[in-house]
Amino acid sequence: MKSLKKKLESSFSDIKINITDDSRITVNIKKDAVVSILNFLKNLGYEHLALISCIDWIEENEFELVYILSAYMEKDQEYNEKEKKTILVKTRISREESKFITVINIFENAEPYERELHELFGINFEGHPRLTPLFLERDYKIPPFRKDFDTRKYVKDVFDKIPSIEERKK
Amino acid sequence: MRELELYFGPQHLGMVGNFSITLKVEGDRILKADANPGYLHRGFEKLIEQRTWMQNFPLVCRINVVEPDHMELIYSMGVEKLAGIEVPERGKFIRSIYCELARVGSHLFGLWAYSNMLGFDTVANWAMYHRDLVLDLFEELTGARVYHIYIRPGGVRRDFPEGFEDKIVKTLHTIGSKVPDYNATFFENRLFEKRAKNIGKITCEEAKKMGAVGQAIRATGMKYDIRKIEPYAAYDKVDWKVPTREDGDAYSRILVIRDEMIESVYMIFKLLDKMPKKGDVYTKTPNPFKWRVPAGEAYVRCESSRGELGLYIVSDGGDKPYRAHFRTPSYSHGLTILEKVLEGESIADVGNIMMSLYVVAPEIDR
C-alpha cells in the first residue's frame, strides 16, 4: 500500500493520495494526467475497471469523475493482498464544458460506462465511437441525472399535458 | 447471401427477459450484435437521491429482480461503512446464511430459465419447484417471498424463528437429493452437451480485458471471488472452495453454477454449525427520520450470484444519499462481452449464450 503510494508520488506531480484503513486508495489528480495514470496502474496489474462513476457537485460547478480499479489474480493462483486493494482515481471537470477523453483504448469495458455518463450527465467523451442513447427514449433539455434536473417539474410538464380519459371522450 | 438486420427483442421466443439485441445476420450467422437495454430503466439511482437512507430499501431490492438479497446487503454495507456501524457476530452469520440461500434460489431460477429455453421442460419444472421451497423459507423468515427487505444497516431485521435451522437443513436435503437427477437429465445429458459445448467461448485473457466477473471468469480457470478476496459477513469463518472450470464456454459456465450451488449448500451447513447460539442480530441505528450519515464516500463490493457487485455511495452529511452508483455484474457481461461473443455464432444460440453469461436485464438498466 505504502509502496504504491510512493511509486505514484514519484511518477506524477500534483497528486493527492489518501489511504483509508480498509484497502481503499483514493487518488485525486488533474484531468490531463488521468489517461497516463490509468495506463500506469494498468501496467502495475490493476487491470480490472470496476466502474466509472460521476458526481455532480453543483455548488462548485464541477463534475467529479471516478474510475474504480482493482486487480485480477493470475490464472490458477491463490489469493493474496493485491486483489484486496481498490483504487479510486478521481478528477474534476468543468460543468459547463463537460467534456473528457475516452479511455476505451485502455479498458475495453469502459465503453458502456462512458455511454451511460454521456446520456445521464451529458459528458462528451471525445474519441468514443458510439455515444448513442443507451437507456432513455426521449430527449431531455437537461440530462436527467444532473442535480438541476427537477423530476417533479418534468413529470408535471410532460404528463399533465396528456388529457384524462374524460377529457378525451368530449 | 444477403445481409439482413434482425431485431431480437423481448417478444422473440429465444429471448429471456426484457432486453433486446439488434443483429446483423447473413443466413444463420451473426455478423454483428448491438445490445440495446433500457426496457427496465427506472432511474433508481436518481430516486435514491430523493429518499432518506432507510426509505431506499424498497428501491434497491428491486434493482435485481431475481435476487434482491444481495442488493439489500450491498446497500447496507455502504451505509454501514459511511456511518461506521459494526454488525454483531450472530448478525454476520445470519447474513451469510441468508445470502447463500438467496444464491441457491437465484441459481435455481437461472437454471429454470436456461433449461426452459433449451427445451428441457422437466428440469425447468424441478428447478422452479425447488426455488419455491427456498422462497417458503424466506416467507417464514421475513414475511415476503421475493422482496424481503431483511438486511438493514447494522445487521438483520430479526432473529431466526424457533426451529428455523432445522427447516433450512430439511429443505436443502430435499433439493440436494435431486442433484443426481439433475445431472442425469440435464448436466450430463448428451443433448445438452452438444448444445452448450464450444458455444460462446472466451479465454481468460479476453475475459480479463472485457471486465468479466463471476461465473464468466471462473469458467476460464481464475478463482476470482469477492467472498474470498475481501471477506464480508461470515465468509472468512468457515472453510469452502471456489469451483472453477477451464474451457470458458457455455457448458463450463453452467457447470460452475451447479458446483457453486452445491458448495453453497455445504457452506450453509458449516455456517449453521459455527453460528453463535445467542446474541444480538443488529446494532441499534438512529431514528430513521432524523438520521444524518457523516459526509464521505465509500466503495463496497460483494459477490452476488452473478459476480462482483459494487456500490459507490457518497454522502454530503445530509439525511439522503448524495449519489449512489451500482456496479452490477450483468453490465459488462450483457453489454461488452455479449456483443463480442455473439459474433460468428448462430441465431439459435443467442439466448443460450445470454443465459450462460447469466445476464439479467433489470440489473443493467437500474
Side-chain angles (χ1 to χ4, degrees):
Chain A
M1 213 68 159
K2 292 249 167 69
S3 66
L4 181 68
K5 188 179 173 184
K6 263 187 199 143
K7 257 185 212 165
L8 283 170
E9 272 168 349
S10 60
S11 315
F12 295 91
S13 57
D14 240 342
I15 189 169
K16 230 171 75 192
I17 299 171
N18 189 10
I19 300 179
T20 43
D21 52 339
D22 47 353
S23 64
R24 301 280 188 274
I25 311 180
T26 316
V27 180
N28 286 293
I29 197 159
K30 285 264 162 64
K31 61 178 179 180
D32 329 322
V34 167
V35 172
S36 50
I37 199 172
L38 289 181
N39 259 322
F40 184 80
L41 288 170
K42 194 188 175 186
N43 291 336
L44 281 181
Y46 296 92
E47 44 189 353
H48 175 45
L49 175 76
L51 182 70
I52 304 178
S53 187
C54 175
I55 312 161
D56 182 2
W57 296 107
I58 191 162
E59 275 163 22
E60 289 142 58
N61 205 16
E62 275 174 330
F63 283 131
E64 186 165 46
L65 287 173
V66 187
Y67 294 80
I68 299 176
L69 305 180
S70 59
Y72 281 123
M73 64 219 357
E74 288 303 311
K75 204 177 165 176
D76 303 322
Q77 207 190 32
E78 287 305 317
Y79 305 92
N80 57 41
E81 281 298 303
K82 193 176 183 187
E83 291 87 43
K84 232 179 155 179
K85 291 177 199 160
T86 310
I87 307 174
L88 285 78
V89 179
K90 294 164 76 172
T91 189
R92 297 234 176 176
I93 58 171
S94 139
R95 213 162 165 277
E96 264 95 49
E97 230 176 281
S98 71
K99 64 174 186 193
F100 203 64
I101 321 148
T102 174
V103 295
I104 297 178
N105 36 22
I106 310 171
F107 297 106
E108 227 173 285
N109 62 329
E111 199 252 357
Y113 288 119
E114 289 182 351
R115 224 172 131 194
E116 181 186 329
L117 293 186
H118 170 254
E119 185 175 42
L120 301 179
F121 284 92
I123 300 169
N124 214 351
F125 287 94
E126 282 166 5
H128 193 289
R130 56 165 179 181
L131 286 176
T132 48
L134 189 65
F135 299 138
L136 310 177
E137 60 175 344
R138 291 197 179 86
D139 272 339
Y140 294 84
K141 274 186 206 118
I142 303 170
F145 270 47
R146 289 192 182 189
K147 285 277 175 188
D148 51 354
F149 180 85
D150 189 346
T151 13
R152 283 179 199 276
K153 188 173 164 291
Y154 177 79
V155 169
K156 214 165 165 31
D157 287 354
V158 174
F159 298 106
D160 269 11
K161 283 178 192 149
I162 300 171
S164 65
I165 298 167
E166 286 79 35
E167 279 171 326
R168 252 182 276 167
K169 273 181 190 159
K170 278 174 197 169
Chain B
M1 222 183 284
R2 203 149 56 101
E3 199 181 301
L4 293 169
E5 199 176 271
L6 173 69
Y7 192 73
F8 202 88
Q11 82 288 358
H12 195 285
L13 288 175
M15 177 58 81
V16 187
N18 296 328
F19 189 72
S20 78
I21 311 167
T22 314
L23 303 170
K24 276 221 175 68
V25 293
E26 198 180 65
D28 192 31
R29 289 288 133 195
I30 296 163
L31 301 174
K32 198 175 174 305
D34 206 346
N36 176 26
Y39 287 86
L40 283 160
H41 181 66
R42 298 145 289 179
F44 276 157
E45 284 164 8
K46 180 88 180 170
L47 292 173
I48 282 174
E49 291 168 12
Q50 299 167 2
R51 280 159 176 74
T52 59
W53 294 96
M54 286 304 255
Q55 273 180 336
N56 278 326
F57 274 95
L59 286 183
V60 289
C61 68
R62 277 163 177 83
I63 289 175
N64 188 342
V65 178
V66 184
E67 41 137 18
D69 320 276
H70 284 97
M71 289 293 168
E72 296 164 19
L73 175 74
I74 194 80
Y75 181 75
S76 300
M77 278 165 68
V79 178
E80 277 158 16
K81 198 162 200 187
L82 283 174
I85 303 170
E86 283 289 321
V87 182
E89 196 68 8
R90 189 171 158 89
K92 281 185 182 169
F93 273 88
I94 293 183
R95 273 187 180 188
S96 272
I97 294 167
Y98 172 74
C99 284
E100 289 315 301
L101 275 176
R103 193 181 312 274
V104 173
S106 164
H107 281 342
L108 285 168
F109 193 83
L111 189 59
W112 164 79
Y114 193 60
S115 53
N116 197 26
M117 192 206 51
L118 291 181
F120 293 89
D121 285 350
T122 318
V123 185
N125 281 315
W126 288 345
M128 214 38 168
Y129 169 65
H130 287 142
R131 177 179 181 257
D132 245 36
L133 294 182
V134 178
L135 294 191
D136 286 343
L137 286 177
F138 282 141
E139 193 177 8
E140 183 173 347
L141 179 62
T142 69
R145 288 182 78 80
V146 181
Y147 301 119
H148 316 121
I149 318 184
Y150 179 63
I151 296 179
R152 48 166 278 177
V156 292
R157 196 144 50 89
R158 58 175 159 175
D159 209 339
F160 280 165
E162 214 171 296
F164 190 67
E165 284 91 340
D166 300 336
K167 277 184 189 155
I168 295 178
V169 172
K170 206 177 144 210
T171 305
L172 291 180
H173 275 303
T174 314
I175 298 172
S177 67
K178 263 290 191 195
V179 171
D181 291 350
Y182 276 115
N183 282 343
T185 35
F186 189 63
F187 296 111
E188 282 157 17
N189 190 336
R190 257 178 55 209
L191 285 171
F192 172 59
E193 280 180 20
K194 282 247 185 275
R195 198 63 212 279
K197 266 195 177 152
N198 288 320
I199 294 287
K201 213 169 174 162
I202 42 172
T203 61
C204 191
E205 281 308 307
E206 282 172 337
K208 266 179 167 180
K209 262 189 208 157
M210 293 186 286
V213 288
Q215 289 83 21
I217 199 145
R218 286 199 286 275
T220 65
M222 196 198 288
K223 289 186 187 167
Y224 189 80
D225 193 315
I226 304 295
R227 286 175 293 173
K228 282 273 191 205
I229 292 171
E230 201 179 44
Y232 53 93
Y235 288 114
D236 50 348
K237 308 271 180 2
V238 289
D239 181 45
W240 57 280
K241 294 194 297 285
V242 179
T244 52
R245 295 270 152 173
E246 290 299 319
D247 297 338
D249 54 2
Y251 187 68
S252 31
R253 286 196 282 271
I254 293 302
L255 285 196
V256 168
I257 289 174
R258 179 197 70 176
D259 295 348
E260 229 177 81
M261 223 176 340
I262 296 169
E263 193 60 43
S264 285
V265 171
Y266 284 130
M267 206 199 298
I268 294 172
F269 292 155
K270 286 176 198 165
L271 286 165
L272 283 172
D273 276 348
K274 273 212 170 169
M275 187 162 80
K277 294 285 165 277
K278 268 184 200 139
D280 284 341
V281 292
Y282 63 86
T283 325
K284 276 212 166 133
T285 50
N287 180 347
F289 297 108
K290 296 172 187 163
W291 192 9
R292 287 177 185 275
V293 172
E297 52 156 22
Y299 179 69
V300 283
R301 48 185 186 162
C302 75
E303 183 81 15
S304 83
S305 63
R306 277 153 186 84
E308 179 188 344
L309 172 67
L311 168 64
Y312 180 62
I313 189 160
V314 181
S315 166
D316 63 345
D319 57 349
K320 302 178 182 95
Y322 191 78
R323 168 93 168 111
H325 194 163
F326 288 88
R327 182 251 184 267
T328 48
S330 295
Y331 202 86
S332 299
H333 291 178
L335 299 178
T336 313
I337 301 177
L338 187 67
E339 280 183 1
K340 190 99 175 220
V341 166
L342 281 181
E343 278 170 28
E345 299 284 351
S346 73
I347 297 175
D349 282 331
V350 174
N352 187 351
I353 290 169
M354 196 178 139
M355 276 321 294
S356 77
L357 281 170
Y358 226 2
V359 177
V360 197
E363 214 178 57
I364 300 175
D365 297 350
R366 302 191 304 277

